[in-house]
Amino acid sequence: MVEIKTDASIEAMREAGRVVAQALAAVQDKAAVGVSLRELDRAARAVLVASGAGSPFLDYRPDWAPTPFPAVVCTSVNDAIVHGIPDDYRLRDGDLVSVDCGAIRGGWVGDAAVSFTVGTARPEDVRLIRIAERALEAGIAAAVVGNRIGDIAHAVGRVCRTAGYGIPDGFGGHGVGRQMHEDPGVPNEGRPGRGMPLRHGMVLAIEPMVIASGSDWHYTADDGWTIRTTDGSRASHAEHTVAITDDGPRILTAL
Ligand code: MG
Ligand code: MG
């Protein structure tokens, strides 16, 4: 069931979203060669605590997960696509890092992700990151009343495929509200004009993921969480929580 949010609820969700944006900014600020993934998690935790926000990631345990998630951010480096667990790995020159963060404030959830390079960036990584961001922008532009879920999916997928990148199947966006994952699902590829009509008050996480080699193949690592590319090529992830309104899409997880 899709929950339609009131305008007051959307304002409250904006506050949760702002905390996510601040946490991601703090993580990106902290990230440098030699810094551990655990330190990135600590930087995000400090922002959540200072904002009086909780984490929808910490102790999250979906059906398929062997263990509760132990951190407030996912840190996915290089061939990791999503769901990487922050550990003692220290960032190296040229690493491509995707960080996904959530916050709960006033009972509402915000969910967003950003990808960036550390140290000397490889040009192909800069392009990969930029295309994921462009796909997100295209998805947001399609998140308007009168369109359908398939229009968002199509917009996202077209940008990724046109660039020659792979799209891991089985992963995508979702409704957001009092729960991190609500209906409807928002696939990263689809047919325009299909699926649920978009209405004022729907709040969606839109989150393109791209694989550099063009392959869609991925697997779950031994930790039961980290999703990696099968061929070892690099991946990038971008995400915003977006409210659909009669005045157009509103990004709730911007600074
Ligand atoms: Mg997320
Ligand atoms: Mg999400």
Side-chain angles (χ1 to χ4, degrees), residues 74-110:
C74 300
T75 50
S76 306
V77 180
N78 298 337
D79 65 315
I81 307 168
V82 286
H83 300 171
I85 297 175
D87 60 13
D88 292 322
Y89 175 84
R90 291 189 180 278
L91 293 169
R92 296 175 192 169
D93 190 50
D95 276 349
L96 192 175
V97 190
S98 300
V99 180
D100 197 335
C101 183
I104 311 172
R105 197 160 182 277
W108 297 100
V109 173

Side-chain angles (χ1 to χ4, degrees), residues 24-25 136 169 172 216:
L24 286 174
L136 175 57
D169 58 306
D216 298 352

Side-chain angles (χ1 to χ4, degrees), residues 57 100 111-112 172-174 176 180-181 205-207 237 239:
F57 286 27
D100 197 335
D111 183 12
H174 48 89
V176 187
M180 178 162 58
H181 293 131
I206 302 173
E207 49 180 314
H237 179 209
E239 177 180 25

